[in-house]
Amino acid sequence: MSKKPTVAIVGRPNVGKSTLFNRLVGRKLALVDDRPGVTRDRREGDAVLLGLEFRVIDTAGYEDEDPQTLPGRMRAQTIAAVREADVALFLTDARAGTTPLDEEIGRWLRSETTPVILAANKAEGRAGEAGILEAYGLGFGDPIPLSAEHGEGVVDLFEHLRPHVEREEDEEEVAEEDEAEGPLKLAIVGRPNAGKSTLINRILDQERLITGPEAGITRDSIAIDWEWEGRPVRLIDTAGMRKKAKVEDKLERLSVADARRAVDFAEVVVLLLDGTRGLEAQDLRIASDVLDEGRALIVAINKWDVAQEPSSLFNGIKAALDEGLSQARGVPLLTVSGMTGKGIDSLLAAAFEIRQAWSRRVSTGILNRWFSDAVAQNPPPAPGGKRIKLRYVTQVGTRPPSFVIFGNRTDLLPESYRRYLVNGLRRELDFGAVPVRLTMRNSRNPFEK
C-alpha cells in the first residue's frame, strides 16, 4: 500500500492551524477555540485540495519551554511531525504580524531538512496587509495570503504544495488496497488519567502521544493508523470522560463531545479502567453509552502491575459489570499494563474476535431453527388471556447485529421475554457479548378493519 505524501502544519499557538486542518480534511475533526494551546497531540487526516490528495498533520503550537514541561513535550511532538513530513506549512497570523516566536520557529525550520512553505493566515481584508509584508522577513520567500476560516487563498496554496505532494498512483497497489479488509477501528475511552495515551504509546512502541501526571492532557480524539501482526488497525485515543455535572469548562465539553463522536466512528471500544481506583459509576455510564450506540465493547483494567489485591479486584469488577450492564452480560474483561505492555496482545486479539462477531450474518435457515426451538422451550406468555403468536425472525443488519421478529400482538410481549430471546441469540449463535438489536413487528391481519 503506497503512503500518501504528508504535509505538517506548524506555527505558534492560535494562528489558525486547526481551522486550516479542518478546511483541508473537509470536516471539523480538530477542536477550535479562541484560547491558545487547544491542540496538544498531533492529529492526522486525509486532505483533498482541488483534487490534490495528501495526508495532513495538525500540530501543537510551538512554544519555547523546558522539554520536561507539558508545552515542551508538545514541542517535541511538533518537531517529530516535521521530520516525518514531505513538506512543512509554516503558518503565521497576518493580523498580529511577525512575532519573536515566529522568528524563532523560522530559525528552527531552517535547521531542518524538510522543505517549508510560508502562509500568512487571517489575511482577509485590509487588516492583514502589514502582517503579510512582515512575513517576508522570515526568509521563506513570498508568503501565501490565506483565510482558513473563509477558504480564501486555496488556489495559491495548491500551486505551492503541488510540487511536493503530487505523485503517480501505482494501479496494482490501489487494487490490493481495495481488496484488503478494512482496518479495525479501535477507540480507547475512559475517565481522565486512566492511562489511555500511555497504553497507546506502549502498543505502538513509541512516544506518539503526550503523557504525564496531569489529568486531561488529551483533548482531541487522535486517530493513528498502525498494524498488529500484519493486520491494519486504526487506534483512536480520546479525551477523558468525566461525569456531566463536573464538566463546566467549554473546552472540556468540546473534548468530551469529540470523544463521543469517536465512539460513533469506532467498531470496537475499549473502556479503560484505572486499576488503582476500580470500577466507578461513571465507568458504567460510559460502558452503557457505548453499548447503546451499538458498538462492540471490551473492558480492560489498566495499571494491573500496581493494583492492590488483584484477584478480588477482578472478581468485584466482573460482578459489577454483569449486574450493571444487563443489555450485554459477559462483556470481555481483560487486564493490561500501559507501563509494562502486559496483556496488550490478548487485548488486540480479543478486539479482532469481537469485531468478527459484531459483523456476523446468520443464514435465515439457522436463525429460524434456533427461533423455533427457543419459542418451543419457553412459549411467550398470554397476558389477559390473549395469545401472542411469534411467527419468524430475520436479520436486517450487521455492525451491530440487528433482527426483526414478526408475529401477532408483539406489542404485548414483556421485556423479560425479549431479553430471553436476545440472550439466546448471543449464546446459541455465537454473538458473545456484542450488542444485539431486536425489534418486534406485528404481522398485518387481513381481517382487521
Side-chain angles (χ1 to χ4, degrees):
M1 192 173 99
S2 62
K3 266 184 76 177
K4 285 185 179 178
T6 305
V7 177
I9 305 173
V10 296
R12 59 182 173 79
N14 222 30
V15 294
K17 297 183 295 298
S18 293
T19 304
L20 180 59
F21 174 90
N22 287 340
R23 170 74 58 182
L24 291 173
V25 299
R27 287 186 289 154
K28 289 189 176 180
L29 287 180
L31 297 185
V32 177
D33 192 79
D34 289 338
R35 85 185 84 171
V38 171
T39 302
R40 286 176 170 174
D41 288 294
R42 64 187 194 260
R43 175 195 281 277
E44 301 182 18
D46 290 319
V48 179
L49 180 64
L50 303 179
L52 197 63
E53 296 184 5
F54 52 94
R55 195 93 176 134
V56 63
I57 305 174
D58 180 23
T59 66
Y62 186 98
E63 296 185 68
D64 183 19
E65 296 284 348
D66 183 270
Q68 300 306 314
T69 65
L70 180 56
R73 302 200 298 276
M74 289 156 60
R75 188 178 72 244
Q77 290 287 316
T78 300
I79 291 170
V82 167
R83 288 176 180 168
E84 292 170 14
D86 294 279
V87 61
L89 182 56
F90 179 15
L91 211 60
T92 65
D93 184 337
R95 290 174 180 260
T98 300
T99 68
L101 185 53
D102 288 322
E103 292 170 352
E104 184 181 333
I105 295 169
R107 285 192 293 274
W108 158 61
L109 287 171
R110 279 193 291 274
S111 71
E112 300 287 344
T113 57
T114 306
V116 178
I117 294 170
L118 177 64
N121 192 29
K122 308 179 188 178
E124 65 274 19
R126 290 178 173 268
E129 289 177 358
I132 296 168
L133 291 171
E134 283 182 24
Y136 279 92
L138 293 168
F140 294 101
D142 294 357
I144 306 166
L146 275 184
S147 173
E149 189 168 1
H150 299 100
E152 295 174 13
V154 291
V155 174
D156 289 337
L157 182 60
F158 167 85
E159 289 296 336
H160 283 77
L161 285 175
R162 193 161 60 94
H164 300 283
V165 302
E166 195 171 48
R167 291 181 189 169
E168 290 183 10
E169 289 284 356
D170 186 326
E171 288 183 9
E172 280 186 28
E173 286 183 345
V174 172
E176 284 175 15
E177 185 178 341
D178 289 341
E179 290 169 12
E181 186 184 0
L184 167 68
K185 298 181 182 71
L186 184 67
I188 314 287
V189 303
R191 287 180 286 110
N193 229 19
K196 299 181 290 296
S197 297
T198 302
L199 179 66
I200 287 183
N201 284 342
R202 175 61 63 181
I203 289 172
L204 299 173
D205 200 23
Q206 61 168 291
E207 292 298 311
R208 173 61 180 80
L209 297 170
I210 302 166
T211 60
E214 307 94 336
I217 288 178
T218 301
R219 284 174 171 170
D220 292 285
S221 297
I222 306 299
I224 302 158
D225 290 320
W226 177 70
E227 281 191 358
W228 177 71
E229 295 187 353
R231 304 166 84 179
V233 179
R234 171 160 284 190
L235 283 168
I236 308 166
D237 183 31
T238 63
M241 295 179 176
R242 290 200 297 162
K243 190 176 176 182
K244 271 186 183 178
K246 293 184 177 179
V247 179
E248 298 172 354
D249 181 67
K250 173 196 168 189
L251 187 54
E252 187 175 356
R253 283 201 307 274
L254 286 170
S255 295
V256 172
D258 199 42
R260 294 187 191 283
R261 279 195 298 274
V263 169
D264 293 344
F265 287 107
E267 296 169 328
V268 180
V269 176
V270 175
L271 170 59
L272 204 63
L273 308 181
D274 185 337
T276 63
R277 297 178 64 179
L279 183 75
E280 297 186 6
Q282 175 64 358
D283 295 314
L284 280 174
R285 274 190 288 271
I286 295 169
S288 187
D289 288 347
V290 169
L291 292 171
D292 288 347
E293 286 296 328
R295 300 297 171 259
L297 175 67
I298 295 173
V299 179
I301 310 172
N302 192 26
K303 308 180 186 178
W304 194 244
D305 50 315
V306 293
Q308 301 291 319
E309 298 183 10
S311 179
S312 61
L313 173 69
F314 185 90
N315 291 331
I317 290 175
K318 187 169 181 56
L321 286 172
D322 284 344
E323 185 181 340
L325 300 176
S326 58
Q327 69 269 52
R329 286 200 176 137
V331 165
L333 178 62
L334 305 172
T335 60
V336 295
S337 169
M339 293 301 292
T340 67
K342 176 192 175 296
I344 285 175
D345 282 339
S346 299
L347 176 67
L348 290 165
F352 274 101
E353 188 177 328
I354 201 169
R355 180 177 76 161
Q356 194 169 4
W358 187 67
S359 308
R360 277 188 66 231
R361 184 173 288 279
V362 182
S363 73
T364 304
I366 292 173
L367 189 58
N368 278 284
R369 278 195 293 276
W370 159 79
F371 182 62
S372 297
D373 290 344
V375 172
Q377 287 174 19
N378 183 12
K386 294 181 178 179
R387 185 170 171 237
I388 298 172
K389 175 74 173 172
L390 302 181
R391 300 186 182 281
Y392 65 95
V393 61
T394 185
Q395 185 171 2
V396 293
T398 61
R399 306 162 67 89
S402 303
F403 302 88
V404 175
I405 290 176
F406 293 87
N408 293 342
R409 301 192 182 95
T410 58
D411 50 322
L412 299 177
L413 200 68
E415 181 61 26
S416 58
Y417 194 83
R418 186 183 166 282
R419 277 200 304 271
Y420 159 73
L421 292 173
V422 168
N423 291 335
L425 262 172
R426 287 205 184 94
R427 185 178 59 253
E428 303 298 332
L429 299 178
D430 297 326
F431 283 106
V434 302
V436 169
R437 289 185 170 158
L438 181 64
T439 54
M440 304 289 174
R441 293 269 174 83
N442 283 324
S443 301
R444 192 175 67 84
N445 184 349
F447 300 102
E448 192 174 41
K449 288 183 183 178

